[in-house]
Structure formats: C-alpha cells, structure tokens
Amino acid sequence: MPDVQALVNDFLIKLKKRKIEGSRATARHTAELLRSVISQQRVPYTNQAGALIDAVRAVGEKLIAANPVELAVGNIVRRVLHIIREEDLSLTTAAIAGLNLSAASDGEDDDDGERDEHTVLSAAVVAAAARSTLRPPSLQTLLEDMPESAAIPHTSSSGGDSEGKSKSADKSSRTRKLKHDVIEAVNELIQDITTCHEQIAEQAIEHIHQNEVILTLGGSKTVLEFLYAAKEKKRSFRVFVAEGAPRYQGHLLAKELVARGLQTTVITDSAVFAIISRVNMVIVGAHAVMANGGVIAPVGLNMVALAAQKHAVPFVVLAGSHKLCPLYPHNPEVLHNELRSPSELLDFGEFSDCLDFGSGTGSPLLHVVNPAFDYVPPKLVSLFITDTGGHNPSYMYRLIADYYSADDLVVRRRIALGN
C-alpha cells in the first residue's frame, strides 16, 4: 500500500499547479485521499473519533491552503469530518441503548439493591456523555468513566482471563467498527460525487419543455448531460451558447452539443442582452454555491443573470452536493476569485512595449485584469437543481446544514488554538 504522506504530497503538487480540472474531479480525488488517510491512521482505544478528526484536519488544512479558490476541497474535508462525528454518535447511541437494555433485563431477575446498581450504571453513562469534550463522545470514553460500583459483577477467578480477553476483543472490535463505518460512508460520498451528473440529468424532463430556447454560458459537463438527457426524452429545443471569452469554453460545449444532436447557436458574450428576450430559460453550472444561496460561477455569468432578471427569464443553476459550501461570501476563509494569465487576453509579442517594466517609471502603463469567476447574488437565482432535487435559494442554507457540522466550518480552528 502506498505511503499516505507520499499521496498527500503528490496531490498537493497537483492542486498548486492546477493540474486537476473541474470541481467534481477535485472533490473525488480529495475524498479518495482522505479515505486512504483514515484507513491507515492508527487510532487509540480512547477518543478514537478525535484521533481521526485530528488526522483529517491536519491533511485538510494543507489541501485547502494549496488551492484556496477550489472550494470543493474544503467542502469534502468538512463532509468527511461530519461523517466521522455522525458515525461516532451512531455507535455511542447504540452502545448506550445496549447498556440500558442490559441493565433493564438483568434488573428483572435481581433484587431491589441490584436494581439500584443498574440505575447508577445508566446515570454514569449519561454523565460521561455530558462531560465529554468531543461532540459526540466516543464509546470508550463513556465506558472508562463508569464508576467501579457500576461495573459488571465479578466472576470467579477461573473466568478472569477469559473476561480480560473479551474486553480486549471488544476494544479492538469497536476500533475496527468506527473506521469501517467511516470508510463505508466515505465510499458512499465518492459514489455520490461520481454519479451526481446522472442524478441531476434525470430531472431535466421536468424543467425543459418542447420548443423552448435555452441559454447557457461556460463549459459545464453537468449542463451538457442535463441538456442531453432532455433531448433523449424526445424534447425538441434550441440552445444558445455564449462563447465564454477569454477561454472560450462555450466553443467546446457547443461542439459537444452538436455531436449529441442538439440544435446549437454560438453567440458572443456581449450579445447576451440582445438575445435574452428570445430565451425561455437560462441554465448554467456553478463553481460553488454559498450558504446564503449566492453562486461563484465562471466570469460573465453575473451579466447573464442581470439580463435574465431584467426580462423575467428563469435563471437555473445546476450544482452537485459537493459544490455546496457551508461558508458565507463574507467569511475570511472564502477566496472568491483568482486572476488568470494576461496571455489569455493579449499577445505578449504584440504588446511587449506597453508591458515593458524597463521604462523610467518602473511600472508599465498597461495593466491586464483577467478574473476567473463572477459572484451571482441569490436574488438573481430562480432555482437550484442538485442531485437531491430542486430548491429555492432561500432553502440552500438548510440543505447545506445537513451535510456539515458547525465545529468544522473553520478547519484550522483547533490547530491555531493549540499553537
């Protein structure tokens, strides 16, 4: 099995050099790496969930710092942390329920004094859960906090060895159970990321109708599958694709649409406002969806959203659950944008004299700004379509809250406090 640290370093290099294209691929690779971290992490008998959380946090901090603009990385790190807490809570709840049932069944055969002891056992478990610093507490912490009077009645000396072996086996079993459940849940997360396109595309027939005109911008694979799914259901419609300068991702999307048999028209970005009155619906992808329902999307989409609002055209955003970010746009952890190379806009050979730093002033007279993303406020969005269904922008904060724990919104919080 490859060394985890080598896997982490290799992925960090890919993130820093932007070698992984697209949020879905980045999210899947992040989840697979964290699965490897969890599977090879040695956990103690006590505070097992805490050990896994610390390991994931340590790796997650490095991944987020390597490419802070790719919010899908932080989303997956927080999702995995939430999974660990949920699985630990599930095991703890099951253990408490099992102890209470055992106490109740034994109490039926014992006298009143022994019933009181089982009552103390239940109270001790609850008190241990309340004192735990990790939310939810680990099962081993609860068992170790039980008072001696609440322990299981002593057996004969001949059974002492077998009892000790049984306890050791139980500890090992609980350790394997938590890691096994967490890894299974992460596998389900990876499967959801892989199939999110198909789940979103299945809803296309509900939103695209016969003879409609659809406008899109960017090169989203989710939008491509969504439109193709509607075409497969015998819906006839036309697609206008804004070219998406300066990277011209719209050209590639238009080529894919034509290859799949869709009627497609390519327009310049500046023609969006002129053409929007003929459009029935705008369908676009997203780089990330914030907790307030705002969208970080390819540059130019804010202009499209404003044009759609002006002409009362529905503005629909497609986004897998891995793009749902629990942070708000004003959070300092959120880096909205990055500036891409000026070479996408200008030919350095033709404009070399304007960009010459060797002039007497020490700075060029010509500056080039090439942002990668736009921010679309929630008031401009009509509907979100995720792999769990369609949702209004005002509901996104509640949907996002189901995927994350409040303790994990700032991944570096505990590390910073420790320093």
Side-chain angles (χ1 to χ4, degrees):
M1 184 176 293
D3 179 56
V4 172
Q5 191 58 46
L7 293 176
V8 172
N9 292 336
D10 182 62
F11 189 54
L12 287 173
I13 293 174
K14 292 180 179 179
L15 287 176
K16 291 178 180 179
K17 294 184 176 181
R18 308 300 196 263
K19 289 189 175 182
I20 303 178
E21 287 287 339
S23 297
R24 187 170 73 113
T26 304
R28 187 180 70 252
H29 281 83
T30 303
E32 291 172 349
L33 175 63
L34 294 180
R35 180 182 60 187
S36 298
V37 171
I38 293 170
S39 65
Q40 299 188 33
Q41 175 67 29
R42 297 176 62 90
V43 295
Y45 288 145
T46 60
N47 198 16
Q48 299 166 15
L52 292 179
I53 287 174
D54 290 342
V56 172
R57 278 180 179 273
V59 175
E61 179 184 359
K62 297 178 182 178
L63 299 182
I64 294 173
N67 190 356
V69 178
E70 186 53 81
L71 297 179
V73 174
N75 294 345
I76 297 302
V77 172
R78 297 181 181 94
R79 287 282 295 271
V80 172
L81 292 173
H82 178 68
I83 286 173
I84 297 172
R85 296 180 187 277
E86 288 293 303
E87 295 300 331
D88 187 50
L89 176 61
S90 177
L91 289 176
T92 302
T93 304
I96 293 176
L99 290 173
N100 287 336
L101 287 175
S102 176
S105 61
D106 291 344
E108 294 177 356
D109 300 329
D110 296 340
D111 56 16
D112 293 340
E114 290 178 342
R115 289 194 187 99
D116 293 340
E117 288 184 357
H118 288 302
T119 302
V120 173
L121 171 62
S122 179
V125 173
V126 174
R131 290 196 301 271
S132 178
T133 56
L134 177 65
R135 188 184 63 84
S138 68
L139 173 61
Q140 184 63 30
T141 302
L142 301 182
L143 296 177
E144 288 191 346
D145 283 347
M146 290 190 305
E148 292 297 328
S149 60
I152 299 175
H154 293 287
T155 59
S156 62
S157 58
S158 62
D161 293 340
S162 62
E163 181 182 352
K165 292 179 180 179
S166 176
K167 289 182 178 179
S168 177
D170 288 343
K171 290 180 179 180
S172 178
S173 176
R174 284 191 294 271
T175 301
R176 291 195 302 268
K177 177 64 174 172
L178 178 60
K179 289 183 64 173
H180 175 270
D181 290 351
V182 170
I183 291 174
E184 285 297 313
V186 174
N187 286 336
E188 293 178 5
L189 173 61
I190 295 173
Q191 182 65 21
D192 290 341
I193 295 172
T194 304
T195 61
C196 69
H197 286 354
E198 291 80 359
Q199 296 175 13
I200 294 175
E202 289 175 358
Q203 308 170 54
I205 195 66
E206 304 172 10
H207 301 279
I208 298 179
H209 305 94
Q210 193 73 8
N211 298 324
E212 285 191 333
V213 177
I214 308 298
L215 172 65
T216 187
L217 182 147
S220 172
K221 297 295 184 181
T222 307
V223 173
L224 172 64
E225 298 296 336
F226 190 82
L227 297 175
Y228 180 66
K231 191 255 182 185
E232 285 291 286
K233 297 296 183 179
K234 308 303 180 184
R235 293 290 167 85
S236 177
F237 56 94
R238 172 172 288 276
V239 183
F240 282 90
V241 180
E243 60 182 357
R247 301 182 68 190
Y248 301 106
Q249 294 178 322
H251 294 178
L252 300 177
L253 177 61
K255 185 177 180 179
E256 291 281 350
L257 291 172
V258 171
R260 299 196 184 194
L262 281 83
Q263 302 181 47
T264 306
T265 302
V266 178
I267 63 173
T268 60
D269 298 338
S270 57
V272 166
F273 199 91
I275 207 74
I276 195 71
S277 60
R278 298 173 52 188
V279 172
N280 300 105
M281 183 184 301
V282 177
I283 300 178
V284 297
H287 177 70
V289 178
M290 311 308 294
N292 66 335
V295 180
I296 297 179
V299 65
L301 269 182
N302 186 63
M303 171 191 68
V304 177
L306 289 171
Q309 183 192 50
K310 181 69 174 180
H311 289 268
V313 175
F315 187 88
V316 179
V317 177
L318 311 181
S321 58
H322 60 278
K323 295 185 178 182
L324 305 183
C325 181
L327 303 178
Y328 288 84
H330 61 266
N331 287 126
E333 296 82 12
V334 177
L335 184 60
H336 285 282
N337 224 326
E338 67 176 350
L339 298 180
R340 300 186 62 86
S341 171
S343 63
E344 295 180 348
L345 295 176
L346 300 178
D347 183 355
F348 281 131
E350 184 178 354
F351 289 86
S352 59
D353 54 337
C354 302
L355 299 172
D356 186 11
F357 284 87
S359 59
T361 60
S363 62
L365 298 177
L366 177 64
H367 297 271
V368 180
V369 179
N370 182 20
F373 302 108
D374 257 348
Y375 174 71
V376 181
K379 65 180 180 180
L380 299 181
V381 180
S382 305
L383 181 70
F384 286 99
I385 301 179
T386 72
D387 37 343
T388 61
H391 308 283
N392 290 325
S394 59
Y395 182 74
M396 294 308 294
Y397 82 96
R398 184 66 188 88
L399 178 65
I400 291 174
D402 293 337
Y403 294 115
Y404 304 97
S405 297
D407 296 336
D408 304 321
L409 296 186
V410 180
V411 175
R412 290 183 289 178
R413 178 188 299 172
R414 291 193 176 185
I415 297 176
L417 290 177
N419 294 335

